[in-house]
Each structure stands twice: as structure tokens, then as C-alpha cells.
Amino acid sequence: MLFLTVPYAEKDEAKALGARWNPTKRRWYVPDGVATEAFAKWAAQGIDGAASAPAASKGRVDSYAGKLVTGANYIALEHDCNPFEPCPQCTALLSGTEWQKARQQLAAMVGKR
């Protein structure tokens, strides 16, 4: 299934070519088995609804707007680990940062309960 980015003014054209509306994802798509060449101008978003955000970026994606959302204290880590558990590679990277200060503040609040 190929999801499309179709402007409202062009929706009738896409529908005439065979595109269908997905009400859950609120996007037009090309059903399986339909040739996709005619939809090239709307296919910039890619296959299976993949967002145009770079694959290397991490963070939550706001599914409605399709924008990458990161917190104010976001720090990109070089490898996948849980920053809430001790990691020798990330300890040096996180020490002294706003993320670490916020983490310590949260731990202190939780510890007071």
C-alpha cells in the first residue's frame, strides 16, 4: 500500500486514478494491485505511510501532524540503550546536561513519596 500526500484541490484527480481514502490515517493511498506510476507526484511520503523524517533521528512522531516531537531536554544517543539505567557509554555524555538535571530532579521527587 502506497500512501500519498494529496492536496485537497487534487483529491478528485487522485480518486479518478484509483486512489482510496483511509479515514483512520486521514490520507489517500494506492491500493495493492494498482499501478503506482500515475501517482508519482503525490508519492513523496513513501511506502506504507513512512514519514519523511530522517531514519537516523529518534523521538516521538506526532501522528496527526507528522512532525517529529522531542522534549526540551532531548539528547541523541549514539546507541540504543535505556538512559534510565546505568550505561558506561552514556554516563559521560549525559553528565552535566539539562537532561541529567531533570532526571535527578524527578528521582528526588519520586524518592520523597
Side-chain angles (χ1 to χ4, degrees):
M1 184 181 321
L2 175 67
F3 281 90
L4 306 170
T5 304
V6 180
Y8 183 78
E10 298 175 8
K11 70 176 179 61
D12 292 330
E13 181 183 352
K15 186 175 180 180
L17 292 171
R20 299 287 175 254
W21 177 252
N22 183 322
T24 305
K25 294 193 179 208
R26 301 178 52 111
R27 293 192 65 188
W28 288 93
Y29 69 95
V30 180
D32 293 334
V34 176
T36 59
E37 294 81 24
F39 303 95
K41 71 178 183 178
W42 302 304
Q45 292 293 328
I47 298 172
D48 292 333
S52 62
S57 66
K58 305 242 179 186
R60 180 175 59 89
V61 174
D62 183 344
S63 62
Y64 179 73
K67 295 185 282 186
L68 185 65
V69 178
T70 57
N73 298 321
Y74 174 79
I75 296 176
L77 300 175
E78 297 297 320
H79 64 286
D80 286 335
C81 73
N82 184 347
F84 294 100
E85 295 178 7
C87 172
Q89 292 179 327
C90 296
T91 300
L93 180 65
L94 296 175
S95 66
T97 63
E98 291 298 318
W99 186 95
Q100 184 66 28
K101 292 174 187 173
R103 174 71 178 112
Q104 289 170 347
Q105 198 173 30
L106 177 64
M109 287 178 10
V110 171
K112 290 181 180 179
R113 287 184 177 193

